[in-house]
Amino acid sequence: MQYDTLLSVEKPARYMGNEFGSVAKGPVDVKFVLAFPDVYEVGMSHLGSQILYSILNGFGWAAAERAYAPWPDMEEAMRSRGERLATLETGMPLAEADIVGFTLQYELSYTNILNMLELAGIPLMAAERGKEFPLVLGGGPCAGNPEPVAEFFDAVLFGDGEEAIVEIAEAYREWKKGNGGKAELLERLSAIEGVYIPSFFAVTNDGPRVSEIRPLKTGYEKVRRRIAPDLDRVPYPVNPVVPFLKTVHDRVSMEIARGCTRGCRFCQAGYIYRPVRERSPESVLAAIHAVLSNTGYEEISLMSLSSADYGCIDGLLRALMERYADERVAVSFPSLRVGSLTRDLVEQVARVRKTGFTLAPEAGSERMRRVINKGILEEDLVRNAFDVYHAGWRVIKLYFMIGLPTETREDVLGIAELSARVRRAGREAGQHGDVNVSVSNFVPKPHTPFQWEPQLGREEIVARQHLLRNELKKRKLAFKWHDATLSQLEGVFARGDRRLSRVLLKARELGCRFDGWGEHVDFGKWRQAFESTGIDPESYLRRRETNEILPWDHLESGVGKDFLRTEMERALAELPTGDCRTGSCTCCGVCDFSRVRPVVHVPGADSLQEEGAGSASIGTPAPYPGGEGEPEVPAERIRLRFTKTGAMSLLSHLEIIHLFTRAVRRAGIPILYSRGFHPHPKFSFATALSVGVESRAEYMDMEIATGFGAQRTLQALNLALPAGIEIVEARAVPLKSPSLSVMLASTSYRVTLPPALVSGLPSLAEAFLRLESFPYQRVKKGKVAVMDLRRELISLHADGRMLEMTVGRGKPVEFASAITGLPQEALRSMEIEKLGVHFSDAVAAGDTKGCDTDC
């Protein structure tokens, strides 16, 4: 990506690459692009992509690189400059890859897939791509029904990817050596368990119904989901890519289990990830230890569909807190099942800091929870909430759904009453009892007992949201809801068929993308796309007959269709289905009890080796002291000067703070922390450098535990920082020194203007120097700051296209605009380098030595 293109967008760090943990290889046999059809911050939070990236790059003959959907500002810049979508690692255009693998994470990302293919110069339709183009592969949760996008994909992996992705890459490698045709490649891939070749099936529709799914290859009538039977036998990414900017899930994501045995009837993940397979507590601890050492994260998220059900959760959590609490590493859960939460678990999580706490009752009434087989009682929720508040949490988020099968008005009102009870539990526990109520709209999904059920229309969903909003408002409870029209669109594609490819093509042609983002979705364009293709979206929201051919019937999740049908009948009868973790087998069909079976670890059978666990560390010489409730520790203040050059100049000030937060932990520096509810590392910067400005003289102070020392800090940090950020000087200063921002007197810059913009620069500089005054107004967030640029200018020299200046207040682009008479927008492409800073006399008085413009 060209530098001026990066400089023109809101967040250049999305497109820079070269993050810690990223891998850039030379020539290899198979070039594999992992393409995520959403913005970088979302894609970088996806654990599955990190797993596949690590696995593929573990082979010398393969290279995995990453690409994400460019945000609209970057897309506009790319199209105007004629730039193709390329990878972050080496800048390889996607069209030059061997395989481009898209994550099918969410139905409303489908137009982003088409947009990314278009930006890459790759034909959208699989039938139009010969062997000269990359193989386009899909995989992820939506692979359970990829029919709406089937005509865009050469192959789709349904199921777990750890083993299958290697087999796919190996098959491609062998095919490539033989220089065969594309048909031969697809034949090879179809022999891999879990790989679906859409072109090997002919689908016929009779109006809105699928009338026939006809296999075109003998022996390839069904595609069964791929299952990795033992998670301890597949690699886990212990050196993941660490982004420069904050992502959606900015922490260690540790998958402790896959699959769920609870059997909630609306939950697609609960069926397509069966059976439950737990990682051993030893492998979890080992992986967490390595990831923390390699990343510098300060939070661990224990990921699974029901983390509190993990067989050794109490022992695991206790071992983690014994090992990492002193290093201020917090533990969080994505959400917790009501009833499986214990007071001891809550107290362990609260030991470091209180991350967000989410409980998911799903429905507001006991009756409705029986329908969906949630199997929790209202009293369990209230008791769990009391324990959470009693442990110090101020806010609990409750997650519900509306629009579930058989739901009544009373069930909806029950959400408000249950939420109010949770708040009362908070007040009984001595807290204010804040409750955030988050409500999504039920969307029937394939491979679940509710796959035959209708989805409520937009008007009815809006009416129920309005009813609930009024009830929650009376109780003064916060309410967040999901857009009803977005849910309808999701529902269309969730149970859609191949006819929808025409709609997607038209929607993309009309400019639709980022449809899951409220500020970007355009429902008018979607209506136009459906109307112009003659397809009624409502036909996809209807009830399906139990004997009807479903678009995904040739894709087998392993859970039998008869079992799903029985579960639907039990839902309508409000009958529970037991948990096979603790009861007898429910005969869902997924296990063969030879290769595929539940893997559950139980306390006592699995040793956590807790003896001595408290002595383990992530490379730090001492615990991280200084938080709330802890005694003061001897501290020293270290002043650092560092450079910020090359691509690192594109990082914003907040991203630099983020970078140093991670680097300090990776380096094992005993940083001190602020006190309060959310402790932060105690460091500060002299100035916030503008994006795109290189610097030879950036300053920061940090407070660390006495004994580590300035030079050791310099050496350790430089090993943990990326190229372009280098600590060039470190010294101890008095702990009570004035802050850097207070002592800063002036800054020196060199700016180089583009050749086409200006001539006679020395004369313009002389003319500016002759001025007595140059009033200037800066408007930021509606506030006006007035300064006199001439009086702020301390020195100025011009030579050719270059200006060197020393200024008090003000940005170099403001001075360059004032001197040349050109608008600031026209000067965006000029080069700016910060040469040095000069501190006030307070520095010379004993804090540190003064710096002239060459420092």
Side-chain angles (χ1 to χ4, degrees):
M1 190 68 66
Q2 295 182 14
Y3 183 85
D4 61 338
T5 303
L6 291 173
L7 199 55
S8 69
V9 300
E10 178 189 4
K11 293 186 178 180
R14 289 170 170 163
Y15 316 100
M16 286 167 45
N18 295 313
E19 308 99 319
F20 236 85
S22 63
V23 179
K25 293 187 177 182
V28 292
D29 295 342
V30 179
K31 296 174 289 185
F32 202 124
V33 176
L34 296 170
F36 197 93
D38 211 323
V39 71
Y40 176 92
E41 293 94 311
V42 175
M44 278 300 298
S45 300
H46 183 244
L47 178 59
S49 297
Q50 293 270 24
I51 291 173
L52 300 183
Y53 185 84
S54 175
I55 290 172
L56 288 168
N57 280 320
F59 294 94
W61 50 267
E65 303 191 22
R66 296 163 297 138
Y68 302 94
W71 199 244
D73 59 346
M74 174 56 83
E75 180 188 342
E76 181 182 353
M78 290 173 64
R79 291 186 184 277
S80 65
R81 291 169 166 83
E83 294 185 23
R84 292 296 191 190
L85 185 61
T87 62
L88 298 187
E89 279 73 10
T90 65
M92 174 183 64
L94 266 62
E96 296 178 11
D98 293 311
I99 303 173
V100 176
F102 283 97
T103 302
L104 302 177
Q105 189 69 21
Y106 179 39
E107 292 86 353
L108 298 187
S109 67
Y110 289 167
T111 53
N112 278 5
I113 294 173
L114 302 188
N115 197 40
M116 291 174 74
L117 288 172
E118 184 180 299
L119 287 169
I122 298 173
L124 304 186
M125 305 299 293
E128 297 173 3
R129 292 193 297 267
K131 61 179 291 185
E132 69 275 16
F133 290 103
L135 177 84
V136 178
L137 174 71
C142 294
N145 179 31
E147 292 305 283
V149 292
E151 295 182 358
F152 309 124
F153 283 90
D154 299 306
V156 176
L157 173 62
F158 182 26
D160 297 332
E162 288 94 337
E163 298 164 331
I165 201 73
V166 178
E167 295 171 20
I168 291 169
E170 287 176 335
Y172 188 97
R173 185 188 188 198
E174 292 304 312
W175 167 81
K176 189 177 178 181
K177 288 178 182 177
N179 198 30
K182 186 172 180 179
E184 179 190 335
L185 173 61
L186 298 182
E187 283 283 346
R188 285 177 180 262
L189 295 176
S190 69
I192 298 172
E193 183 183 5
V195 173
Y196 167 48
I197 309 296
S199 60
F200 285 4
F201 292 84
V203 179
T204 305
N205 275 74
D206 181 11
R209 296 171 182 251
V210 173
S211 57
E212 183 184 20
I213 301 174
R214 182 164 53 91
L216 301 179
K217 178 188 174 185
T218 304
Y220 192 68
E221 289 80 21
K222 299 277 187 179
V223 176
R224 190 172 177 87
R225 176 172 62 96
R226 182 65 175 264
I227 299 174
D230 187 350
L231 297 187
D232 281 344
R233 293 182 178 272
V234 296
Y236 198 81
V238 296
N239 192 21
V241 181
V242 182
F244 292 126
L245 73 168
K246 270 191 170 293
T247 57
V248 174
H249 301 304
D250 197 38
R251 52 186 175 256
V252 174
S253 294
M254 182 68 233
E255 183 193 38
I256 59 175
R258 191 175 300 174
C260 181
T261 58
R262 293 290 187 170
C264 298
R265 290 163 178 147
F266 60 85
C267 179
Q268 185 184 49
Y271 288 90
I272 66 171
Y273 290 120
R274 289 187 178 202
V276 64
R277 290 148 290 156
E278 295 182 350
R279 298 183 193 274
S280 68
E282 291 81 10
S283 68
V284 170
L285 286 171
I288 287 173
H289 178 79
V291 177
L292 288 173
S293 299
N294 293 328
T295 62
Y297 283 120
E298 67 275 2
E299 183 179 336
I300 305 161
S301 180
L302 299 179
M303 306 282 290
S304 84
L305 293 174
S306 185
S307 297
D309 284 337
Y310 180 75
C312 296
I313 188 63
D314 289 331
L316 174 63
L317 191 56
R318 192 173 295 110
L320 287 172
M321 299 316 298
E322 287 297 318
R323 186 173 290 190
Y324 299 117
D326 286 344
E327 294 170 9
R328 301 202 167 276
V329 176
V331 176
S332 66
F333 298 90
S335 69
L336 288 168
R337 178 184 169 84
V338 174
S340 59
L341 192 60
T342 65
R343 177 169 292 186
D344 183 59
L345 189 150
V346 171
E347 291 173 351
Q348 289 293 329
V349 173
R351 283 179 59 180
V352 174
R353 68 177 177 276
K354 298 167 184 65
T355 55
F357 218 108
T358 301
L359 296 172
E362 309 291 358
S365 68
E366 300 278 1
R367 187 199 74 81
M368 198 70 250
R369 288 192 289 276
R370 288 195 298 271
V371 169
I372 63 177
N373 201 43
K374 191 64 181 176
I376 61 172
L377 300 175
E378 188 168 318
E379 295 308 317
D380 293 334
L381 173 64
V382 175
R383 184 184 69 254
N384 288 165
F386 178 89
D387 290 342
V388 171
Y389 285 123
H390 189 264
W393 271 268
R394 301 170 185 172
V395 183
I396 290 178
K397 179 180 177 181
L398 297 179
Y399 179 79
F400 297 94
M401 279 190 290
I402 58 173
L404 288 158
T406 78
E407 183 181 74
T408 65
R409 186 176 189 275
E410 287 68 31
D411 297 320
V412 176
L413 294 176
I415 294 174
E417 179 54 40
L418 185 56
S419 302
R421 284 201 66 188
V422 168
R423 187 175 63 180
R424 288 196 293 272
R427 291 178 176 174
E428 290 168 6
Q431 295 283 358
H432 187 267
D434 288 338
V435 177
N436 291 334
V437 180
S438 180
V439 177
S440 67
N441 309 314
F442 168 66
V443 175
K445 292 295 178 87
H447 306 289
T448 69
F450 291 159
Q451 64 182 356
W452 293 280
E453 289 295 307
Q455 182 174 341
L456 289 186
R458 179 186 178 279
E459 292 76 13
E460 180 58 30
I461 284 291
V462 170
R464 296 188 190 191
Q465 287 175 339
H466 183 72
L467 171 67
L468 183 55
R469 183 167 58 248
N470 287 341
E471 288 300 314
L472 291 170
K473 187 176 181 180
K474 292 176 186 175
R475 293 167 168 83
K476 298 181 179 179
L477 293 167
F479 179 40
K480 291 183 67 175
W481 63 94
H482 198 257
D483 185 89
T485 309
L486 274 180
S487 296
Q488 275 206 308
L489 199 56
E490 178 187 345
V492 168
F493 288 101
R495 295 190 294 171
D497 54 30
R498 293 191 181 186
R499 298 185 308 149
L500 290 173
S501 62
R502 304 200 305 270
V503 178
L504 286 167
L505 284 171
K506 186 62 179 179
R508 176 61 221 120
E509 178 188 320
L510 293 170
C512 293
R513 75 270 194 270
F514 287 106
D515 299 302
W517 295 75
E519 67 267 39
H520 291 293
V521 66
D522 189 327
F523 296 122
K525 290 178 179 177
W526 276 106
R527 280 192 294 272
Q528 186 179 345
F530 280 107
E531 290 169 1
S532 65
T533 53
I535 292 176
D536 178 14
E538 296 291 332
S539 66
Y540 291 97
L541 306 180
R542 62 182 173 83
R543 180 183 299 279
R544 312 297 170 96
E545 300 302 324
T546 55
N547 61 354
E548 182 179 338
I549 296 175
L550 301 174
W552 54 91
D553 271 351
H554 52 310
L555 301 172
E556 295 185 335
S557 71
V559 178
K561 201 171 182 180
D562 287 342
F563 176 81
L564 296 177
R565 193 180 291 112
T566 299
E567 278 297 287
M568 183 185 71
E569 293 167 355
R570 293 179 69 83
L572 298 179
E574 299 178 21
L575 294 175
T577 296
D579 183 346
C580 66
R581 178 193 292 269
T582 55
S584 60
C585 174
T586 58
C587 300
C588 71
V590 76
C591 295
D592 59 15
F593 297 100
S594 172
R595 178 177 175 272
V596 178
R597 61 189 183 279
V599 178
V600 178
H601 295 273
V602 295
D606 297 277
S607 170
L608 289 175
Q609 298 179 345
E610 291 182 47
E611 184 176 352
S615 63
S617 72
I618 58 172
T620 56
Y624 294 104
E628 187 72 22
E630 294 181 359
E632 293 286 349
V633 297
E636 60 180 331
R637 187 169 176 180
I638 306 297
R639 181 154 295 160
L640 305 171
R641 178 162 69 92
F642 64 94
T643 61
K644 182 186 177 190
T645 59
M648 295 299 106
S649 69
L650 295 169
L651 296 182
S652 70
H653 183 60
L654 286 177
E655 289 157 1
I656 287 291
I657 294 173
H658 189 67
L659 184 151
F660 271 97
T661 301
R662 297 280 173 266
V664 161
R665 296 190 69 91
R666 283 197 300 270
I669 296 170
I671 191 78
L672 299 185
Y673 278 75
S674 64
R675 297 177 180 271
F677 200 72
H678 292 293
H680 296 289
K682 297 180 82 169
F683 52 64
S684 59
F685 294 80
T687 57
L689 194 65
S690 298
V691 172
V693 178
E694 293 194 332
S695 176
R696 288 195 268 144
E698 290 302 288
Y699 282 83
M700 67 177 295
D701 284 354
M702 64 171 60
E703 290 186 29
I704 65 174
T706 299
F708 198 79
Q711 289 309 302
R712 191 176 173 190
T713 299
L714 181 150
Q715 293 164 4
L717 265 180
N718 277 336
L719 291 174
L721 288 168
I725 303 285
E726 182 184 4
I727 310 297
V728 293
E729 185 181 2
R731 68 170 70 85
V733 299
L735 196 59
K736 299 299 183 181
S737 297
S739 68
L740 287 164
S741 58
V742 170
M743 296 188 298
L744 183 65
S746 61
T747 309
S748 295
Y749 298 97
R750 178 188 294 131
V751 301
T752 305
L753 279 66
L757 285 184
V758 70
S759 60
L761 191 57
S763 298
L764 292 171
E766 290 176 7
F768 190 82
L769 286 170
R770 288 195 294 267
L771 297 175
E772 290 187 7
S773 175
F774 192 99
Y776 174 75
Q777 288 187 346
R778 179 194 296 165
V779 181
K780 185 176 182 180
K781 295 181 180 179
K783 295 182 179 180
V784 178
V786 180
M787 69 181 75
D788 189 326
L789 292 183
R790 178 60 190 88
R791 294 181 183 274
E792 295 290 342
L793 182 66
I794 297 170
S795 67
L796 176 65
H797 174 72
D799 184 8
R801 296 187 292 114
M802 184 183 68
L803 288 170
E804 286 194 3
M805 64 183 77
T806 300
V807 304
R809 293 184 302 159
K811 299 179 180 180
V813 68
E814 295 169 336
F815 285 94
S817 174
I819 292 165
T820 63
L822 295 169
Q824 292 183 28
E825 187 65 29
L827 297 170
R828 287 188 63 174
S829 60
M830 73 179 185
E831 298 174 12
I832 307 174
E833 183 181 7
K834 184 175 175 181
L835 302 175
V837 296
H838 185 80
F839 291 108
S840 65
D841 291 341
V843 179
D847 297 331
T848 186
K849 66 181 181 181
C851 271
D852 61 22
T853 57
D854 294 323
C855 74

